[in-house]
Amino acid sequence: MTEVDEFGKEYLTPEKATDQIAIFIKVREYTDFDKYEEAAFLIENAYVSGAFGYGDDLLIFLNSFSNDKQYTSDDLPKIADLLEEDVKNGRTRVLKLRKKR
């Protein structure tokens, strides 16, 4: 599922991204993300998996995953900063669970 590029670095495959979203849905109340990290995780994985595409409504997409967190246009600059940081560092966010459930 996880592929390795010619430099030995792992990268996210569509299959792995789909699995990450499915796992997130099942354990979202146990995740250790703040609102913005959660959004960045969902966008990155959904884009790679094909669940979210260019031109889709981002706020509708994000709010469809959240029961207690609602995203507004005011949240988008902070989410964009996290996504830009991830691209700059060549990484994709991974699912983090709280230590105590």
Coordinates of all heavy atoms in Angstrom, one line a residue:
M1 N 0.8 -1.2 0.0 CA 0.0 0.0 0.0 C 0.9 1.3 0.0 O 0.6 2.2 -0.7 CB -0.9 0.0 1.2 CG -2.1 -0.8 1.1 SD -3.1 -0.3 2.4 CE -4.5 -1.3 2.2
T2 N 1.9 1.3 0.8 CA 2.7 2.4 0.9 C 3.9 2.2 -0.1 O 4.5 1.2 -0.1 CB 3.3 2.7 2.3 OG1 2.3 2.8 3.2 CG2 4.2 3.9 2.3
E3 N 4.0 3.1 -1.1 CA 5.1 2.9 -2.1 C 6.3 3.7 -1.7 O 6.2 4.6 -0.8 CB 4.5 3.5 -3.4 CG 3.3 2.7 -3.9 CD 3.6 1.3 -4.3 OE1 4.7 1.0 -4.8 OE2 2.7 0.5 -4.2
V4 N 7.4 3.4 -2.3 CA 8.7 4.0 -2.0 C 9.2 4.6 -3.3 O 9.2 3.9 -4.3 CB 9.7 3.0 -1.4 CG1 11.0 3.7 -1.2 CG2 9.2 2.4 -0.1
D5 N 9.6 5.9 -3.3 CA 10.2 6.5 -4.5 C 11.6 6.1 -4.7 O 12.2 5.3 -3.9 CB 10.0 8.0 -4.5 CG 10.8 8.7 -3.4 OD1 11.7 8.1 -2.8 OD2 10.5 9.9 -3.2
E6 N 12.2 6.6 -5.8 CA 13.6 6.2 -6.1 C 14.6 6.7 -5.0 O 15.8 6.2 -5.0 CB 14.0 6.8 -7.5 CG 14.0 8.3 -7.6 CD 12.7 8.9 -8.0 OE1 11.7 8.3 -8.0 OE2 12.7 10.1 -8.3
F7 N 14.2 7.5 -4.1 CA 15.1 8.0 -3.1 C 14.9 7.2 -1.7 O 15.5 7.5 -0.7 CB 15.0 9.5 -2.8 CG 15.2 10.3 -4.0 CD1 14.1 10.9 -4.7 CD2 16.5 10.4 -4.6 CE1 14.4 11.6 -5.8 CE2 16.7 11.1 -5.7 CZ 15.6 11.7 -6.4
G8 N 14.0 6.2 -1.8 CA 13.7 5.4 -0.6 C 12.7 6.1 0.4 O 12.4 5.6 1.4
K9 N 12.0 7.2 -0.1 CA 11.1 7.8 0.8 C 9.7 7.3 0.5 O 9.3 7.2 -0.7 CB 11.1 9.3 0.5 CG 10.2 10.1 1.4 CD 10.3 11.6 1.2 CE 9.3 12.3 2.1 NZ 9.4 13.7 2.0
E10 N 8.9 7.0 1.5 CA 7.6 6.5 1.4 C 6.7 7.6 0.9 O 6.9 8.8 1.3 CB 7.0 5.9 2.7 CG 7.7 4.6 3.1 CD 7.1 4.0 4.3 OE1 6.2 4.5 4.9 OE2 7.6 2.9 4.7
Y11 N 5.6 7.3 0.1 CA 4.6 8.3 -0.2 C 3.2 7.6 -0.2 O 3.1 6.4 -0.2 CB 4.9 8.9 -1.6 CG 4.9 7.9 -2.8 CD1 3.7 7.7 -3.5 CD2 6.0 7.2 -3.2 CE1 3.7 6.9 -4.6 CE2 6.0 6.4 -4.3 CZ 4.8 6.2 -4.9 OH 4.8 5.4 -6.0
L12 N 2.3 8.5 -0.1 CA 0.9 8.1 0.1 C 0.3 7.6 -1.2 O 0.3 8.4 -2.2 CB 0.1 9.3 0.7 CG -1.4 9.0 1.1 CD1 -1.4 8.0 2.2 CD2 -2.0 10.3 1.5
T13 N -0.3 6.4 -1.2 CA -0.9 5.9 -2.4 C -2.4 6.2 -2.3 O -2.9 6.4 -1.2 CB -0.7 4.4 -2.6 OG1 -1.3 3.7 -1.4 CG2 0.8 4.0 -2.7
P14 N -3.2 6.1 -3.4 CA -4.7 6.3 -3.3 C -5.3 5.2 -2.4 O -6.2 5.6 -1.6 CB -5.1 6.1 -4.7 CG -4.0 6.6 -5.5 CD -2.8 6.1 -4.8
E15 N -4.8 4.0 -2.4 CA -5.4 3.0 -1.5 C -5.1 3.3 -0.1 O -6.0 3.1 0.8 CB -4.8 1.6 -1.9 CG -5.1 1.1 -3.3 CD -4.2 1.7 -4.4 OE1 -3.2 2.3 -4.1 OE2 -4.6 1.6 -5.6
K16 N -3.9 3.7 0.3 CA -3.6 4.0 1.7 C -4.4 5.2 2.1 O -4.9 5.2 3.3 CB -2.1 4.3 1.8 CG -1.6 4.6 3.2 CD -1.7 3.5 4.1 CE -1.0 3.9 5.4 NZ -1.2 2.8 6.4
A17 N -4.5 6.2 1.3 CA -5.3 7.4 1.6 C -6.8 7.0 1.9 O -7.4 7.5 2.9 CB -5.2 8.4 0.5
T18 N -7.3 6.2 1.1 CA -8.7 5.7 1.3 C -8.8 5.0 2.6 O -9.8 5.2 3.4 CB -9.2 4.8 0.1 OG1 -9.1 5.5 -1.1 CG2 -10.6 4.3 0.3
D19 N -7.9 4.1 2.9 CA -7.9 3.5 4.2 C -7.8 4.4 5.4 O -8.4 4.3 6.4 CB -6.7 2.5 4.3 CG -6.9 1.3 3.4 OD1 -8.0 1.0 2.9 OD2 -5.9 0.5 3.2
Q20 N -6.9 5.5 5.2 CA -6.7 6.4 6.3 C -8.1 7.2 6.6 O -8.4 7.4 7.8 CB -5.7 7.5 5.9 CG -4.3 6.9 6.0 CD -3.8 6.6 7.4 OE1 -3.8 7.5 8.2 NE2 -3.5 5.4 7.6
I21 N -8.8 7.5 5.6 CA -10.1 8.2 5.8 C -11.1 7.3 6.4 O -11.8 7.7 7.4 CB -10.6 8.7 4.4 CG1 -9.7 9.8 3.9 CG2 -12.1 9.2 4.6 CD1 -10.0 10.3 2.5
A22 N -11.1 6.0 6.0 CA -12.0 5.0 6.6 C -11.7 4.9 8.1 O -12.6 4.8 9.0 CB -12.0 3.7 5.9
I23 N -10.4 4.8 8.4 CA -10.0 4.6 9.8 C -10.4 5.9 10.6 O -10.9 5.8 11.7 CB -8.5 4.3 9.9 CG1 -8.2 2.9 9.4 CG2 -8.1 4.4 11.4 CD1 -6.8 2.7 9.2
F24 N -10.2 7.0 10.0 CA -10.5 8.3 10.7 C -12.0 8.3 11.0 O -12.4 8.7 12.1 CB -10.2 9.5 9.8 CG -10.7 10.8 10.3 CD1 -10.0 11.5 11.3 CD2 -11.9 11.3 9.9 CE1 -10.5 12.6 11.9 CE2 -12.4 12.5 10.4 CZ -11.7 13.2 11.4
I25 N -12.9 7.9 10.1 CA -14.3 8.0 10.3 C -14.7 7.1 11.6 O -15.5 7.5 12.4 CB -15.1 7.5 9.1 CG1 -14.9 8.6 8.0 CG2 -16.5 7.2 9.4 CD1 -15.4 8.2 6.6
K26 N -14.0 6.0 11.7 CA -14.3 5.0 12.8 C -13.8 5.5 14.1 O -14.4 5.3 15.2 CB -13.7 3.7 12.5 CG -14.4 2.9 11.4 CD -13.7 1.6 11.1 CE -14.4 0.9 9.9 NZ -13.7 -0.3 9.5
V27 N -12.7 6.2 14.1 CA -12.0 6.6 15.4 C -11.9 8.1 15.6 O -11.1 8.5 16.5 CB -10.6 5.9 15.6 CG1 -10.8 4.4 15.5 CG2 -9.7 6.4 14.5
R28 N -12.7 8.9 14.9 CA -12.5 10.3 14.9 C -12.5 10.9 16.3 O -11.9 11.9 16.6 CB -13.4 11.0 14.0 CG -14.8 11.0 14.4 CD -15.7 11.8 13.4 NE -16.9 11.1 13.1 CZ -17.5 11.1 12.0 NH1 -17.0 11.8 11.0 NH2 -18.6 10.4 11.8
E29 N -13.4 10.4 17.2 CA -13.4 10.9 18.6 C -12.2 10.7 19.4 O -12.0 11.2 20.5 CB -14.7 10.4 19.3 CG -14.7 9.0 19.6 CD -15.4 8.2 18.5 OE1 -15.8 8.7 17.4 OE2 -15.7 7.0 18.7
Y30 N -11.3 9.8 18.9 CA -10.1 9.5 19.6 C -8.8 10.1 19.0 O -7.7 9.8 19.4 CB -9.9 7.9 19.7 CG -11.0 7.2 20.3 CD1 -11.8 6.4 19.6 CD2 -11.4 7.4 21.7 CE1 -12.9 5.7 20.1 CE2 -12.4 6.7 22.2 CZ -13.2 5.9 21.5 OH -14.3 5.2 22.0
T31 N -9.0 10.9 18.0 CA -7.9 11.5 17.3 C -7.3 12.6 18.1 O -7.9 13.3 19.0 CB -8.2 12.0 15.9 OG1 -9.3 13.0 16.0 CG2 -8.7 10.9 15.0
D32 N -6.0 12.9 17.9 CA -5.3 13.9 18.6 C -5.0 15.1 17.6 O -3.8 15.5 17.5 CB -4.0 13.3 19.2 CG -3.3 14.2 20.2 OD1 -4.1 15.1 20.8 OD2 -2.1 14.1 20.4
F33 N -6.0 15.5 16.9 CA -5.8 16.6 16.0 C -6.6 17.8 16.5 O -7.7 17.6 17.1 CB -6.5 16.3 14.6 CG -5.8 15.3 13.8 CD1 -6.5 14.3 13.2 CD2 -4.4 15.4 13.5 CE1 -5.8 13.4 12.3 CE2 -3.8 14.5 12.7 CZ -4.5 13.5 12.1
D34 N -6.1 19.0 16.3 CA -7.0 20.2 16.5 C -7.8 20.3 15.2 O -7.6 19.6 14.2 CB -6.2 21.4 16.9 CG -5.3 22.0 15.7 OD1 -5.6 21.7 14.5 OD2 -4.4 22.8 16.0
K35 N -8.7 21.3 15.2 CA -9.6 21.5 14.1 C -8.9 21.7 12.8 O -9.3 21.1 11.7 CB -10.5 22.7 14.4 CG -11.4 23.1 13.4 CD -12.2 24.4 13.9 CE -13.3 24.8 12.9 NZ -14.0 25.9 13.4
Y36 N -7.8 22.4 12.8 CA -7.1 22.7 11.5 C -6.2 21.5 11.1 O -6.2 21.3 9.9 CB -6.2 24.0 11.7 CG -7.1 25.1 12.2 CD1 -7.0 25.5 13.6 CD2 -8.0 25.7 11.4 CE1 -7.8 26.6 14.0 CE2 -8.8 26.7 11.9 CZ -8.7 27.2 13.2 OH -9.5 28.2 13.6
E37 N -5.6 20.8 12.0 CA -4.8 19.6 11.6 C -5.8 18.6 11.0 O -5.4 17.9 10.1 CB -4.1 19.1 12.8 CG -3.0 19.9 13.3 CD -2.4 19.4 14.6 OE1 -3.2 19.0 15.5 OE2 -1.2 19.5 14.8
E38 N -6.9 18.4 11.6 CA -7.9 17.5 11.1 C -8.3 17.8 9.7 O -8.4 16.9 8.8 CB -9.2 17.5 12.0 CG -10.2 16.5 11.5 CD -11.4 16.6 12.5 OE1 -11.3 16.2 13.6 OE2 -12.5 17.0 12.0
A39 N -8.5 19.1 9.4 CA -8.9 19.5 8.1 C -7.8 19.2 7.1 O -8.0 18.7 6.0 CB -9.3 21.0 8.1
A40 N -6.6 19.5 7.4 CA -5.4 19.3 6.6 C -5.3 17.8 6.3 O -5.1 17.4 5.1 CB -4.1 19.8 7.2
F41 N -5.4 17.0 7.3 CA -5.4 15.5 7.1 C -6.4 15.0 6.1 O -6.2 14.3 5.2 CB -5.6 14.8 8.5 CG -5.8 13.3 8.4 CD1 -4.7 12.5 8.3 CD2 -7.1 12.8 8.4 CE1 -4.9 11.1 8.2 CE2 -7.3 11.5 8.3 CZ -6.2 10.6 8.2
L42 N -7.7 15.5 6.3 CA -8.8 15.1 5.5 C -8.6 15.5 4.0 O -8.8 14.8 3.1 CB -10.1 15.6 6.0 CG -10.6 14.9 7.2 CD1 -11.8 15.7 7.8 CD2 -11.0 13.5 7.0
I43 N -8.1 16.8 3.8 CA -7.9 17.3 2.5 C -6.8 16.5 1.8 O -7.0 16.1 0.6 CB -7.6 18.8 2.5 CG1 -8.9 19.6 3.0 CG2 -7.2 19.3 1.1 CD1 -8.6 21.0 3.4
E44 N -5.7 16.3 2.4 CA -4.6 15.6 1.8 C -5.0 14.2 1.4 O -4.7 13.8 0.3 CB -3.4 15.6 2.7 CG -2.8 17.0 2.9 CD -1.7 17.0 4.0 OE1 -1.5 16.0 4.7 OE2 -1.1 18.1 4.1
N45 N -5.6 13.5 2.3 CA -5.9 12.1 2.1 C -7.1 12.0 1.1 O -7.0 11.1 0.2 CB -6.2 11.4 3.4 CG -5.0 11.0 4.1 OD1 -4.4 10.0 3.9 ND2 -4.6 11.8 5.0
A46 N -8.0 12.9 1.2 CA -9.2 12.8 0.2 C -8.7 13.2 -1.2 O -9.2 12.6 -2.2 CB -10.3 13.7 0.7
Y47 N -7.8 14.1 -1.3 CA -7.3 14.5 -2.6 C -6.6 13.3 -3.3 O -6.8 13.0 -4.4 CB -6.5 15.7 -2.6 CG -6.0 16.2 -3.9 CD1 -6.9 16.8 -4.8 CD2 -4.8 15.9 -4.4 CE1 -6.6 17.2 -6.0 CE2 -4.4 16.3 -5.7 CZ -5.3 17.0 -6.5 OH -4.9 17.4 -7.8
V48 N -5.7 12.7 -2.5 CA -4.9 11.6 -3.0 C -5.8 10.4 -3.4 O -5.6 9.7 -4.4 CB -3.8 11.2 -2.0 CG1 -3.1 9.9 -2.5 CG2 -2.7 12.3 -1.9
S49 N -6.8 10.1 -2.5 CA -7.7 9.0 -2.8 C -8.7 9.2 -3.9 O -9.3 8.3 -4.4 CB -8.5 8.6 -1.5 OG -9.5 9.6 -1.3
G50 N -8.9 10.5 -4.3 CA -9.8 10.8 -5.3 C -11.2 11.1 -4.8 O -12.2 11.4 -5.5
A51 N -11.4 11.1 -3.4 CA -12.7 11.4 -2.8 C -13.0 12.9 -2.9 O -14.1 13.3 -2.8 CB -12.7 11.0 -1.4
F52 N -12.0 13.7 -3.0 CA -12.1 15.2 -3.1 C -11.4 15.7 -4.3 O -10.2 15.3 -4.5 CB -11.6 15.9 -1.8 CG -11.7 17.4 -1.8 CD1 -13.0 17.9 -1.6 CD2 -10.6 18.2 -2.1 CE1 -13.1 19.3 -1.6 CE2 -10.8 19.5 -2.1 CZ -12.0 20.1 -1.8
G53 N -12.0 16.4 -5.2 CA -11.4 16.8 -6.4 C -11.3 18.4 -6.5 O -12.0 19.1 -5.8
Y54 N -10.6 18.8 -7.5 CA -10.5 20.2 -7.9 C -11.9 20.7 -8.2 O -12.6 20.1 -9.0 CB -9.6 20.3 -9.1 CG -8.8 21.5 -9.1 CD1 -7.7 21.7 -8.2 CD2 -9.0 22.5 -10.0 CE1 -6.9 22.8 -8.2 CE2 -8.2 23.6 -10.1 CZ -7.2 23.8 -9.2 OH -6.4 24.9 -9.2
G55 N -12.3 21.8 -7.5 CA -13.6 22.4 -7.8 C -14.7 22.0 -6.8 O -15.7 22.6 -6.8
D56 N -14.4 20.9 -6.0 CA -15.4 20.5 -5.0 C -15.5 21.6 -3.9 O -14.5 22.3 -3.7 CB -15.0 19.2 -4.3 CG -15.2 18.0 -5.3 OD1 -15.9 18.2 -6.3 OD2 -14.7 16.9 -5.0
D57 N -16.6 21.7 -3.3 CA -16.8 22.7 -2.2 C -16.1 22.2 -0.9 O -16.5 21.3 -0.3 CB -18.3 23.0 -1.9 CG -18.5 24.1 -1.0 OD1 -17.9 24.1 0.1 OD2 -19.2 25.1 -1.4
L58 N -15.0 22.9 -0.6 CA -14.2 22.5 0.6 C -15.0 22.5 1.9 O -14.8 21.6 2.7 CB -13.0 23.4 0.6 CG -11.9 23.1 1.7 CD1 -11.4 21.7 1.5 CD2 -10.8 24.1 1.6
L59 N -15.7 23.6 2.2 CA -16.4 23.6 3.4 C -17.5 22.6 3.6 O -17.6 22.0 4.6 CB -17.0 25.0 3.6 CG -16.0 26.2 3.8 CD1 -16.7 27.5 3.8 CD2 -15.1 25.9 5.0
I60 N -18.2 22.3 2.5 CA -19.2 21.2 2.6 C -18.5 19.9 2.8 O -18.9 19.1 3.6 CB -20.1 21.2 1.3 CG1 -21.0 22.4 1.2 CG2 -20.9 19.9 1.2 CD1 -21.7 22.5 -0.1
F61 N -17.4 19.7 2.1 CA -16.6 18.4 2.3 C -16.2 18.3 3.7 O -16.4 17.2 4.4 CB -15.4 18.4 1.3 CG -14.5 17.3 1.6 CD1 -14.8 16.0 1.2 CD2 -13.3 17.6 2.3 CE1 -13.9 15.0 1.4 CE2 -12.4 16.5 2.5 CZ -12.7 15.2 2.1
L62 N -15.5 19.3 4.3 CA -15.0 19.2 5.7 C -16.1 19.0 6.7 O -16.0 18.2 7.6 CB -14.2 20.4 6.0 CG -12.9 20.6 5.3 CD1 -12.2 21.9 5.6 CD2 -11.9 19.4 5.6
N63 N -17.2 19.8 6.5 CA -18.3 19.7 7.5 C -19.0 18.4 7.4 O -19.7 18.0 8.4 CB -19.2 20.9 7.3 CG -18.6 22.2 7.9 OD1 -17.9 22.1 8.9 ND2 -18.9 23.3 7.2
S64 N -18.9 17.7 6.3 CA -19.6 16.4 6.2 C -18.9 15.3 7.2 O -19.5 14.3 7.5 CB -19.6 15.9 4.8 OG -18.3 15.5 4.4
F65 N -17.7 15.6 7.6 CA -16.9 14.6 8.4 C -17.1 15.0 9.9 O -16.7 14.2 10.8 CB -15.4 14.6 8.1 CG -15.1 13.9 6.9 CD1 -14.9 14.6 5.7 CD2 -15.0 12.5 6.9 CE1 -14.6 13.9 4.5 CE2 -14.7 11.8 5.7 CZ -14.5 12.5 4.5
S66 N -17.6 16.1 10.2 CA -17.5 16.6 11.6 C -18.9 16.7 12.3 O -19.8 17.2 11.7 CB -16.9 18.0 11.6 OG -16.8 18.5 12.9
N67 N -18.9 16.2 13.5 CA -20.1 16.3 14.3 C -20.1 17.5 15.2 O -21.1 18.2 15.4 CB -20.4 15.0 15.1 CG -20.6 13.8 14.3 OD1 -21.1 13.9 13.2 ND2 -20.2 12.7 14.8
D68 N -18.9 17.8 15.7 CA -18.8 18.9 16.7 C -18.0 20.1 16.2 O -18.1 21.1 16.8 CB -18.2 18.3 18.0 CG -16.8 17.8 17.7 OD1 -16.5 17.3 16.6 OD2 -16.0 17.7 18.7
K69 N -17.2 19.9 15.1 CA -16.4 21.0 14.6 C -17.1 21.5 13.3 O -17.3 20.7 12.4 CB -15.0 20.6 14.3 CG -14.3 20.1 15.5 CD -13.0 19.5 15.1 CE -12.3 18.8 16.3 NZ -11.3 17.9 16.0
Q70 N -17.4 22.8 13.2 CA -17.9 23.3 12.0 C -16.9 24.3 11.4 O -16.3 25.1 12.1 CB -19.2 24.1 12.3 CG -20.4 23.2 12.6 CD -20.7 22.2 11.4 OE1 -21.0 22.7 10.3 NE2 -20.6 20.9 11.6
Y71 N -16.7 24.1 10.1 CA -15.7 24.9 9.4 C -16.4 26.0 8.7 O -17.5 25.9 8.1 CB -14.9 24.0 8.4 CG -14.1 23.0 9.1 CD1 -14.6 21.7 9.3 CD2 -12.8 23.3 9.5 CE1 -13.8 20.7 9.9 CE2 -12.0 22.3 10.2 CZ -12.5 21.0 10.4 OH -11.8 20.1 11.0
T72 N -15.8 27.2 8.7 CA -16.3 28.4 8.0 C -15.2 28.9 7.1 O -14.0 28.5 7.2 CB -16.7 29.5 9.0 OG1 -15.6 30.0 9.7 CG2 -17.7 28.9 10.0
S73 N -15.5 29.9 6.3 CA -14.5 30.5 5.5 C -13.4 31.2 6.3 O -12.2 31.3 5.8 CB -15.1 31.5 4.5 OG -15.8 32.5 5.2
D74 N -13.6 31.5 7.5 CA -12.6 32.1 8.4 C -11.5 31.1 8.7 O -10.4 31.5 9.1 CB -13.2 32.6 9.7 CG -14.1 33.8 9.4 OD1 -14.0 34.5 8.4 OD2 -15.0 34.1 10.3
D75 N -11.8 29.8 8.7 CA -10.8 28.8 9.0 C -9.9 28.5 7.8 O -8.8 27.9 8.0 CB -11.6 27.5 9.3 CG -12.4 27.6 10.6 OD1 -12.0 28.3 11.5 OD2 -13.5 27.0 10.6
L76 N -10.3 28.8 6.6 CA -9.5 28.4 5.4 C -8.1 29.0 5.4 O -7.2 28.2 5.0 CB -10.3 28.8 4.2 CG -11.6 28.1 4.0 CD1 -12.3 28.6 2.7 CD2 -11.4 26.6 4.0
P77 N -7.8 30.2 5.8 CA -6.4 30.6 5.8 C -5.5 29.8 6.7 O -4.3 29.4 6.3 CB -6.4 32.1 6.3 CG -7.8 32.5 5.9 CD -8.7 31.3 6.1
K78 N -5.9 29.4 7.8 CA -5.1 28.6 8.8 C -4.9 27.2 8.2 O -3.8 26.6 8.2 CB -5.8 28.5 10.1 CG -5.1 27.6 11.1 CD -3.8 28.1 11.5 CE -3.2 27.2 12.6 NZ -1.8 27.5 12.9
I79 N -6.0 26.6 7.6 CA -5.8 25.3 6.9 C -4.9 25.4 5.7 O -4.0 24.5 5.6 CB -7.2 24.8 6.5 CG1 -8.1 24.6 7.7 CG2 -7.1 23.5 5.6 CD1 -9.6 24.4 7.3
A80 N -5.0 26.5 5.0 CA -4.1 26.7 3.8 C -2.6 26.8 4.3 O -1.7 26.2 3.6 CB -4.5 27.9 3.1
D81 N -2.4 27.4 5.4 CA -1.0 27.5 6.0 C -0.5 26.1 6.3 O 0.7 25.8 6.0 CB -1.0 28.4 7.2 CG -1.2 29.9 6.9 OD1 -1.0 30.3 5.7 OD2 -1.5 30.6 7.9
L82 N -1.3 25.3 6.9 CA -0.8 23.9 7.2 C -0.6 23.1 6.0 O 0.4 22.4 5.9 CB -1.9 23.2 8.1 CG -2.0 23.8 9.5 CD1 -3.2 23.0 10.2 CD2 -0.8 23.6 10.3
L83 N -1.4 23.2 5.0 CA -1.2 22.5 3.7 C 0.0 23.0 3.0 O 0.8 22.2 2.5 CB -2.4 22.7 2.8 CG -3.7 22.0 3.3 CD1 -4.9 22.4 2.4 CD2 -3.6 20.5 3.3
E84 N 0.3 24.3 3.0 CA 1.5 24.8 2.4 C 2.7 24.3 3.1 O 3.7 24.0 2.5 CB 1.4 26.4 2.4 CG 2.5 27.0 1.7 CD 2.3 28.5 1.6 OE1 1.3 29.0 1.1 OE2 3.2 29.2 2.2
E85 N 2.7 24.3 4.4 CA 3.8 23.8 5.2 C 4.1 22.3 4.9 O 5.2 21.9 4.7 CB 3.5 23.9 6.7 CG 4.5 23.4 7.6 CD 4.1 23.5 9.1 OE1 3.5 24.5 9.5 OE2 4.3 22.5 9.8
D86 N 3.0 21.5 4.7 CA 3.2 20.1 4.4 C 3.8 19.9 3.0 O 4.7 19.1 2.8 CB 1.9 19.3 4.5 CG 1.4 19.2 5.9 OD1 2.1 19.4 6.8 OD2 0.2 18.8 6.1
V87 N 3.4 20.7 2.1 CA 3.9 20.6 0.7 C 5.4 21.0 0.7 O 6.2 20.4 0.1 CB 3.1 21.5 -0.3 CG1 3.8 21.6 -1.6 CG2 1.7 20.9 -0.5
K88 N 5.7 22.1 1.4 CA 7.1 22.6 1.5 C 8.0 21.6 2.1 O 9.1 21.4 1.7 CB 7.1 23.9 2.3 CG 8.4 24.5 2.4 CD 8.3 25.9 3.1 CE 9.2 25.9 4.3 NZ 9.1 27.1 5.1
N89 N 7.5 20.8 3.1 CA 8.3 19.8 3.8 C 8.2 18.4 3.2 O 8.7 17.5 3.7 CB 7.9 19.7 5.3 CG 8.3 21.0 6.0 OD1 9.3 21.5 5.8 ND2 7.4 21.5 6.9
G90 N 7.4 18.3 2.1 CA 7.2 17.0 1.4 C 6.6 15.9 2.2 O 7.1 14.8 2.2
R91 N 5.6 16.3 3.0 CA 5.0 15.3 3.9 C 3.5 15.3 3.7 O 2.9 16.2 3.2 CB 5.4 15.5 5.3 CG 4.7 16.7 5.9 CD 4.9 16.9 7.4 NE 4.2 18.1 7.8 CZ 4.4 18.7 8.9 NH1 5.3 18.2 9.8 NH2 3.8 19.8 9.3
T92 N 2.9 14.2 4.2 CA 1.4 14.1 4.3 C 1.1 13.8 5.8 O 1.8 13.0 6.4 CB 0.9 13.0 3.4 OG1 1.4 13.2 2.1 CG2 -0.6 13.0 3.4
R93 N 0.1 14.4 6.3 CA -0.3 14.2 7.7 C -0.8 12.8 7.9 O -1.4 12.2 7.0 CB -1.4 15.2 8.1 CG -0.9 16.6 8.2 CD -1.8 17.6 8.8 NE -1.2 18.8 8.6 CZ -0.4 19.4 9.6 NH1 -0.2 18.7 10.7 NH2 0.2 20.5 9.4
V94 N -0.4 12.2 9.0 CA -0.8 10.8 9.3 C -1.8 10.9 10.5 O -1.8 11.8 11.3 CB 0.4 9.9 9.7 CG1 1.2 9.7 8.4 CG2 1.2 10.5 10.8
L95 N -2.6 9.9 10.6 CA -3.6 9.8 11.7 C -2.9 9.7 13.0 O -2.0 8.9 13.2 CB -4.5 8.5 11.5 CG -5.7 8.3 12.3 CD1 -6.7 9.5 12.0 CD2 -6.4 7.0 11.9
K96 N -3.3 10.5 14.0 CA -2.8 10.5 15.3 C -3.9 10.2 16.3 O -4.9 10.9 16.3 CB -2.1 11.9 15.7 CG -0.9 12.2 14.9 CD -0.2 13.5 15.4 CE -1.1 14.7 15.5 NZ -0.5 15.9 15.9
L97 N -3.7 9.3 17.2 CA -4.7 9.0 18.2 C -4.2 9.5 19.6 O -3.0 9.5 19.8 CB -4.9 7.5 18.3 CG -5.5 6.8 17.0 CD1 -5.6 5.3 17.2 CD2 -6.8 7.4 16.7
R98 N -5.1 9.9 20.4 CA -4.8 10.3 21.8 C -4.2 9.1 22.5 O -4.6 7.9 22.3 CB -6.0 10.8 22.5 CG -6.5 12.1 22.0 CD -7.5 12.7 22.9 NE -8.6 11.8 23.3 CZ -9.8 11.7 22.7 NH1 -10.1 12.6 21.8 NH2 -10.7 10.9 23.1
K99 N -3.3 9.3 23.5 CA -2.7 8.2 24.3 C -3.8 7.6 25.2 O -3.8 6.4 25.3 CB -1.6 8.8 25.1 CG -0.5 9.3 24.2 CD 0.9 8.8 24.6 CE 2.0 9.4 23.9 NZ 2.3 8.8 22.6
K100 N -4.6 8.4 25.8 CA -5.6 7.9 26.7 C -7.0 8.1 26.0 O -7.3 9.1 25.6 CB -5.7 8.6 28.1 CG -4.5 8.3 28.9 CD -4.7 8.8 30.3 CE -3.6 8.3 31.2 NZ -3.9 8.4 32.6
R101 N -7.7 7.0 26.0 CA -9.0 7.0 25.4 C -10.0 6.9 26.4 O -11.0 6.9 26.6 CB -9.2 5.9 24.4 CG -8.2 6.1 23.2 CD -8.3 5.0 22.2 NE -7.1 4.9 21.5 CZ -6.5 3.8 21.1 NH1 -7.2 2.7 21.2 NH2 -5.4 3.9 20.5

